Amino acid sequence: MRCFERSRKTKETDIFVWIDLDGKGIVKAETGIPFLDHMFDAFGRHGMFDLTIRAKGDLDVDCHHTIEDIGIVLGQAIAGAIGDGKGITRFSHTAVPMDESIAYVTLDCGGRAYLVMNGSLGEYPVSGIPGDLLEHFFYSLCSNADLTAHITFEGKNAHHKCEAVFKAFGVALKAATRVDPEKGIPSTKGQL
C-alpha cells in the first residue's frame, strides 16, 4: 500500500495528514475552514485517495498560515506515498468542467518542483478565503511534493472555479501516480 502520514507543529499551526494513493475516495478533513474541507473532499473523492487532514491554526489571525501549512504537509505526504516512483505513469493531463467553469491540470511527478497557475478567483474572498491563497496553497504543495504542475482555470463563479481546480488536480494526480508493474523508474536518469 502506498500510504504515508506527516505532521507539522509550529506556534501558528498543528497539522496532520495521512494519504493512501490507492484508496477509495474516503476523506476526513477537519481544518476549521469549511470551504477548504469541501475542496479536500472533492480532491480525494475524484482522485480516489483516502485522505485524513486534521488542522488547527491561528484562524483568529486569518486562514493564511493554516492553508499554507496544510499545503506543505500534504505535499510531504504525497511525496512519501510516491516513494521512489517505481512504476508510476509520472505524467498526466486532465480537464474538469463545473457548470460554466473549467480547470486544466497537467502534472509531472518527476521530482522537480514547479508551479504555473493561470486564472483568477477575482478580488473578493471565496467563502472567507482570499483568492490568492489558492495559488499559494498549490505552490506549497508542489514545492513539498516535488511535483511540476500547470494549472489553468476560467469561469464566472469563484466557487465553481476553485472546485474544478481541486477536482482536476485529484484526477490528474491519480492518473500520474497509477502504477504499471512492468514499468521501472520513469526517467532517463534512472531515478526521479
Side-chain angles (χ1 to χ4, degrees):
M1 293 183 68
R2 297 181 302 150
C3 305
F4 204 82
E5 69 179 50
R6 177 70 74 191
S7 59
R8 172 184 168 97
K9 188 170 187 175
T10 71
K11 291 181 180 179
E12 299 167 338
T13 65
D14 186 356
I15 313 291
F16 170 84
V17 172
W18 174 84
I19 190 165
D20 178 355
L21 295 178
D22 302 311
K24 297 182 176 158
I26 299 167
V27 177
K28 297 174 188 169
E30 299 170 2
T31 67
I33 307 167
F35 181 74
L36 193 59
D37 294 346
H38 176 50
M39 293 301 103
F40 288 130
D41 190 49
F43 164 76
R45 285 179 189 266
H46 293 280
M48 293 302 294
F49 308 117
D50 289 347
L51 179 65
T52 299
I53 300 176
R54 290 191 302 268
K56 292 180 182 173
D58 56 356
L59 296 178
D60 54 320
V61 174
D62 68 12
C63 59
H64 182 102
H65 298 138
T66 303
I67 292 172
E68 175 182 47
D69 285 7
I70 292 170
I72 290 169
V73 179
L74 179 57
Q76 292 169 349
I78 290 168
I82 291 172
D84 67 4
K86 185 176 181 181
I88 66 168
T89 303
R90 181 176 165 178
F91 302 103
S92 68
H93 176 78
T94 193
V96 171
M98 184 162 181
D99 297 344
E100 86 301 337
S101 298
I102 191 163
Y104 306 91
V105 174
T106 303
L107 288 182
D108 175 6
C109 296
R112 295 166 63 122
Y114 207 88
L115 173 67
V116 176
M117 184 172 261
N118 296 300
S120 172
L121 292 176
E123 60 185 275
Y124 301 106
V126 182
S127 297
I129 300 173
D132 65 336
L133 273 182
L134 177 67
E135 182 169 359
H136 190 62
F137 167 79
F138 281 104
Y139 172 81
S140 298
L141 188 155
C142 290
S143 296
N144 286 274
D146 288 331
L147 301 176
T148 294
H150 287 250
I151 301 170
T152 300
F153 61 95
E154 58 186 49
K156 295 179 181 174
N157 182 280
H159 182 126
H160 293 167
K161 290 188 281 188
C162 193
E163 190 165 343
V165 167
F166 273 86
K167 287 176 178 177
F169 199 91
V171 171
L173 186 60
K174 182 64 174 180
T177 60
R178 184 176 32 238
V179 174
D180 177 349
E182 301 297 318
K183 195 172 188 177
I185 302 289
S187 172
T188 57
K189 298 178 184 74
Q191 68 180 40
L192 295 181

